[in-house]
Amino acid sequence: MYEEIFTSKAATLKILKNKLRKSKIEKLYNFTVNEWITDPNRILGIISKTFTSHQIIIRSSALDEDTWESSHAGYYESILNVNTKSKKLISQAINSVIRSYKKNGNENIQNQILIQEQAKNIAYSGVIFTRTPNHGKPYYVINYERGSSTDGVTKGEISDTIKIFRGINLLKLPRHWNFLLKSVREIERVTKYDNLDIEFGITKKYNIIIFQVRPLVSIKEKNMISTKIIEKHIAQLKKEFNDKSNAKLLPGDYTIFSDMTDWNPAEIIGNSPRNLDYSIYDYIIMQSTWHEGRSRIGYNKLKKCRLMHKFGNKPYVDVRSSFNSLLPHNIDTSLKNKLIHYYLHKLKKFPYLHDKAEFEILFTCYDFSIKDRLMKLKSYNFTQNEINEIESNLLEFTNTIIQNFPQLSKECEFSINYLKKNRKKILNQLNNSERKYNELIFAAEQLLRDCKEYGTKPFSLMARIAFIASNMLKSLVSSNTITQQYYDEFMQSIETTLSEFQNDVIKYQNNTMTKKQFLKKYGHLRPGTYDICIPHYNQNHQFLEELKLQHISFNKKFLPKKQLKKALESHDLIFSQISLFDFIKQAITKREELKFLFTKNLSDALELLAEAGEKLNFSRSEMADLEISSILKHYKNTNKNSLIKFWRKKIKTQKTYFLQHESLVLPPIISSDKDFEIITYPNTKPNYVTTKKILSFTINHAELSKSD
């Protein structure tokens, strides 16, 4: 049946027009390029008699468009809102479509032009794929825009995306998506085909208008995944979510999971990390280290509280745990509970803030804009006395950190020196050994333990102080004490391991530093910090040739000393032992140095694990399927053959799990068990630290929208 339907855009719409009951195809008329060339007046006359409304759309319908071989979506011109009373405008629009054929190398005179009434009162328009285009996962993918214009559909410029599990009960959906999916399912039944790419409009009265139906040529039948299998996995994930959300271990009536909040697993280890990546990140940071550093400087102490959880293959941060860990300890318990309730409520209401929670939702320290920000709490039933108490506690808490900073800095310096010294000792001892597999794993274990105790734990502490410091500077901008330009240039002027790296790249490019010198210093770095399968820079020199950097200078003369002194005095922030700008510089510098050094331990440990795996005939890819606990638990007390057998079994189990869950589509933020079936993508605004602007051509959204 479906082979006969999908021959051209016009032919498909003609066939479907009288078969659909749950959607509408606007009145249409089509003709060939040859017919237009031969007798344009006849065609103009037919258009005038056929279309009595004032507006029509003149669309392409080429022979190589919307076929089994190719889609060519967005290749050719379509002209909207053409006035039927003007033969001149109609002729111009038709000729424009024909020119778009020629422009793309298609001069077949049997190509068609399709005329339709222009749809009215459109509330939503877009494109729906009945499966994910790349892999055929059982989800409807809807790329849409709100508003009366359908330009985005014809031009492939659609702004919002939602993905809906094919097995969902339609009653769970908002009315407009309910009506759309009912109409799409009817089209699937009529065509007897469910790999479709459909352009649609939804009117204000929820009528569904179909603009185009084409086969989804990017996937093949053999790649399609069973809806029932995904349904089973979704049921399990819902149970996991509800169990964790309903647990009463911490203040907060429920929790939310986010891939971008706090320690940001989506950015650090990716959306679908291998077992080793995930488990090492969990081991050295997310099990306990993440909050131990915070509690050292006065934040809430949490017991047995992991920050990260995996749904399917995707890692998330438990937002309730994160928010509780960022409450200063000196705030009254009842007020803490009220703040947590407010934080979670606000994030649930405004999910697009999940990657900016510390700036837009939380009150984690005192700064120069805190008074204005706290006043927003009045709209959430906080009394003025409660607001004053929070402000007072934040000020006391922040001043304590500032006063203790020199001592905390010394402790971090000790950790830095110990980390350097002991790494060298561990590697020297290993080099004096036979480098047997168990010796390699033992050295890796020591490096990871040091990484955790003397790397990520003080890093967690200093990262928090650096946030407080840079947040103060940001608030000086919002209070108009300093300019945004000064903020940007000051932040870029701070000498850190990153700026040192940038300067050394420039030295290398200017031939004042050799490749050997550069790699000795930075060769341990790798694009995927936790990924054993990605070579570090010592193994991949190509990156050096691709780096292009320019030195950025900082003009110090714009420091507004009088305004700054006045701001400090009016806010009772006490910088007696260290100045504000030295506080900011030193905190950020220490944070970056700790990060640089703990990644050295991590990188060396990954290489030793890879070498141990090689001695036991395991590839890097196979090692990536092991959890770090499976590697470290048994190597001492298990003989070689038994260890190999144990690892093989673990790898097989993990691969099976990974492949089973690979077909799940998961959202960036989960606040309800419905989010496993209705996947939305909050609009986010990127964060940049730069004074530069970037201009570029827009990539064809029609192509981007087809990614899974």
Side-chain angles (χ1 to χ4, degrees), residues 230-362:
I230 299 300
E231 192 168 32
K232 181 181 176 183
H233 292 323
I234 288 175
Q236 179 59 39
L237 295 185
K238 283 184 175 183
K239 183 179 184 305
E240 287 178 30
F241 170 80
N242 287 322
D243 287 347
K244 289 191 172 294
S245 187
N246 295 330
K248 302 300 181 185
L249 301 175
L250 290 169
D253 295 334
Y254 55 89
T255 191
I256 296 170
F257 289 91
S258 163
D259 66 2
M260 290 286 283
T261 303
D262 208 347
W263 283 85
N264 202 342
E267 183 178 313
I268 305 299
I269 55 175
N271 285 319
S272 188
R274 304 285 286 277
N275 230 21
L276 189 60
D277 307 29
Y278 179 88
S279 61
I280 288 181
Y281 190 52
D282 194 44
Y283 171 72
I284 67 173
I285 294 176
M286 306 297 263
Q287 286 180 9
S288 61
T289 304
W290 66 280
H291 66 79
E292 289 172 355
R294 293 175 181 180
S295 63
R296 172 71 181 85
I297 58 172
Y299 285 104
N300 256 350
K301 288 186 178 180
L302 305 181
K303 294 181 180 179
K304 296 181 179 179
C305 191
R306 300 173 84 111
L307 186 62
M308 187 165 62
H309 181 73
K310 192 192 291 186
F311 290 103
N313 297 330
K314 185 175 172 63
Y316 291 89
V317 159
D318 183 332
V319 173
R320 177 169 53 186
S321 296
S322 168
F323 287 177
N324 271 275
S325 78
L326 291 169
L327 286 167
H329 184 65
N330 63 344
I331 295 178
D332 178 77
T333 300
S334 62
L335 204 45
K336 285 179 184 174
N337 293 342
K338 195 169 183 179
L339 279 169
I340 289 294
H341 179 78
Y342 159 73
Y343 293 159
L344 291 171
H345 171 77
K346 188 167 182 181
L347 180 58
K348 195 167 189 176
K349 187 176 180 181
F350 305 107
Y352 58 87
L353 296 177
H354 77 124
D355 65 332
K356 299 174 181 62
E358 292 188 55
F359 296 105
E360 303 289 345
I361 298 176
L362 308 182

Side-chain angles (χ1 to χ4, degrees), residues 563-593:
Q563 297 97 307
L564 181 60
K565 184 180 179 182
K566 185 178 178 181
L568 290 172
E569 289 173 350
S570 64
H571 286 270
D572 295 324
L573 283 166
I574 303 170
F575 286 91
S576 57
Q577 299 187 55
I578 188 171
S579 72
L580 170 60
F581 285 89
D582 283 341
F583 175 64
I584 297 167
K585 284 183 179 180
Q586 290 182 30
I588 291 173
T589 300
K590 280 284 190 296
R591 177 192 66 188
E592 294 306 305
E593 188 175 5

Side-chain angles (χ1 to χ4, degrees), residues 359-373:
F359 296 105
E360 303 289 345
I361 298 176
L362 308 182
F363 306 106
T364 63
C365 63
Y366 191 92
D367 61 48
F368 299 100
S369 64
I370 196 70
K371 293 177 185 289
D372 291 336
R373 289 184 60 221

Side-chain angles (χ1 to χ4, degrees), residues 107 273 497:
E107 299 193 33
T497 52

